Structures are given as C-alpha cells and as structure tokens.
Amino acid sequence: MKKLALTLLVPLTAFSALAQNKKTVKKTSPASKTAAVAIKNGLDSASYAFGTSMAANLKNNGLDHLNYDLFVKGLKDAFGDKALLLPKEKSQAAINNLFVEASKKKFAPAIAEGKAFLENNKKVAGIKTTPSGLQYQVLQAGSGAKPLATDTVLVHYKGTLLNGKQFDSSYDRKEPISFPLNRVIPGWTEGVQLMEQGSKYKFFIPYNLAYGERGAGQDIPPYSTLIFEVELLKINGK
C-alpha cells in the first residue's frame, strides 16, 4: 500500500433559504448567503493545497469519497490533542481495510478475468489443482529428488500475464537463477516442491498466491493471475 501524505479536503457548501407562497417565491437576500472562501495568505494556500493533494492521491488509489465530517473531526482532535475516537491500531486497520476494498473495486475486471481463466483452465486435460488453488501442468517429468521449502534451488523460468505478455525470463538472460524456495511468492514455494529435479512444469498462479493486491512494479498489475514455466535444474547443488 502506498503511503499517502495526509492532507485536508474540506468541501464548503453555500446555503440559501427559499420561502414560497401560493403565487410568488421570495428571493434570498445577499446578506443571507455564506461568503465565498478566499485565499488570503500562505497558510490558506497550503491548507487548500493539502486538500487537493490528498484528493488526487486517494482517487489514484481507488477512493472517491470520505465521511468529511469525521475526517475534519479527526484533524481537529489530533491538532487539539483531544481524546481520539479510535486507538492507533484500529485507525490503521480501518485505513488498510478501506484501501483494500477500494483496490478490489478498482481492479474488479482483473480479478474476474483471473477467476474465469482458472475456472476454465482446471477443466483442461493434464491440469491439476491443489487445495490452495494453484494449478500446474507437467511439461517434462524428472527423475531426481523433490526440494523442501528450506532448500535452495537452481531454475530456468519465464513468466507471463494472462494476455501473453512476458514480464521476466531467465532463458532470455541465458542464465538460470538460484534462490531459497521460502523467499519467493507462495505459488512458487508450493509449486516447485511438487517438482522432481530435471522436470519442467507450467504453473497457473492465482493473485493471492502471487503478488496480490500490490502487484510488482509496472510489469505486473495488482490482482494479476500469473503463468510460469519452470525448469528445476538443481537442488542445493545435488
């Protein structure tokens, strides 16, 4: 979750009073209207800028509104050193939950696409599905040992999105990669343990076993279902 600078968004609404009789409507006198907000000094400018900056950041992260009354109360309580309505832990949890829900809403098409793909893919001959939802296909059987989660493995691999776009490949770099199996995404940790040394598998990894709600850089969007071809070359140098 990206850290957002806390800023202030305070919408102001002008009120007018209307009174109507059977035939005519009285006009509101200018004196009864709320005066327009004016920027008069540096503090005014910064205060308004805080609001616009926060709104832009929140919108970029999927939010489109807040409870403004409680938001302003929170600011005033914090600035005034008053007793807070929520403790720090609950406040952070509330913020995190709101962003997760907003993110799911924003990326709902990607979530739906991944779910539909996996539902159809599990019906394909040769595709196996584990209790976690990981799907795999044996492209080439091996005859060696199987790694443990605590092992270091040497592999060749390539990864693609559902649309076929490749985001990484050790084959293209012409160099396999070695890493501890418990230091990678859950789909890899689980999947590679199914492999025998010398085998080659194709993994279909749901977003919750991949990079989840965050994605990974610009190449892997949030909530992406990923496809990997993995070739297990060695286990701890065995």
Side-chain angles (χ1 to χ4, degrees):
M1 197 74 64
K2 296 180 179 178
K3 292 184 178 180
L4 301 176
L6 290 181
T7 52
L8 175 63
L9 179 61
V10 185
L12 299 174
T13 307
F15 293 93
S16 61
L18 295 179
Q20 182 176 358
N21 58 24
K22 293 182 180 180
K23 295 184 179 180
T24 62
V25 177
K26 294 182 180 180
K27 294 183 179 181
T28 304
S29 62
S32 67
K33 294 182 179 180
T34 302
V37 176
I39 295 177
K40 299 179 180 179
N41 53 45
L43 178 61
D44 292 347
S45 297
S47 298
Y48 184 76
F50 275 131
T52 57
S53 177
M54 179 181 182
N57 280 318
L58 291 178
K59 288 180 71 176
N60 286 339
N61 284 273
L63 295 179
D64 56 14
H65 70 283
L66 293 173
N67 183 320
Y68 304 118
D69 291 337
L70 284 172
F71 177 69
V72 173
K73 178 174 174 53
L75 284 172
K76 290 181 176 179
D77 287 350
F79 276 120
D81 294 324
K82 296 181 179 180
L84 304 182
L85 299 181
L86 292 174
K88 183 177 179 180
E89 295 76 12
K90 287 189 176 181
S91 293
Q92 190 59 55
I95 291 171
N96 291 341
N97 291 339
L98 183 62
F99 276 118
V100 168
E101 292 305 313
S103 181
K104 284 184 177 180
K105 181 179 179 181
K106 180 178 179 180
F107 292 99
I111 296 174
E113 179 187 25
K115 183 177 180 180
F117 173 86
L118 293 170
E119 282 294 318
N120 291 326
N121 194 55
K122 69 182 181 181
K123 302 172 186 177
V124 176
I127 301 296
K128 298 181 180 180
T129 305
T130 71
S132 71
L134 174 69
Q135 296 181 359
Y136 68 95
Q137 179 183 25
V138 179
L139 301 179
Q140 176 182 307
S143 57
K146 291 183 177 181
L148 302 174
T150 52
D151 285 333
T152 297
V153 296
L154 181 70
V155 300
H156 254 317
Y157 72 95
K158 72 174 181 178
T160 61
L161 303 176
L162 292 183
N163 62 10
K165 180 182 179 182
Q166 180 177 290
F167 55 81
D168 196 9
S169 172
S170 65
Y171 293 106
D172 289 353
R173 294 191 296 271
K174 297 180 172 34
E175 183 178 4
I177 186 171
S178 178
F179 54 79
L181 199 50
N182 58 5
R183 299 290 182 88
V184 290
I185 59 175
W188 267 69
T189 302
E190 178 185 356
V192 176
Q193 289 184 81
L194 301 172
M195 302 177 69
E196 296 176 331
Q197 185 170 306
S199 65
K200 185 175 183 179
Y201 280 32
K202 191 171 187 177
F203 295 108
F204 307 87
I205 305 179
Y207 75 83
N208 59 300
L209 298 178
Y211 294 98
E213 67 194 48
R214 299 171 182 262
Q218 296 182 347
D219 295 327
I220 303 177
Y223 298 99
S224 291
T225 295
L226 305 179
I227 301 174
F228 285 96
E229 289 185 14
V230 181
E231 186 177 358
L232 179 57
L233 303 176
K234 290 182 180 180
I235 305 170
N236 288 340
K238 297 177 184 178

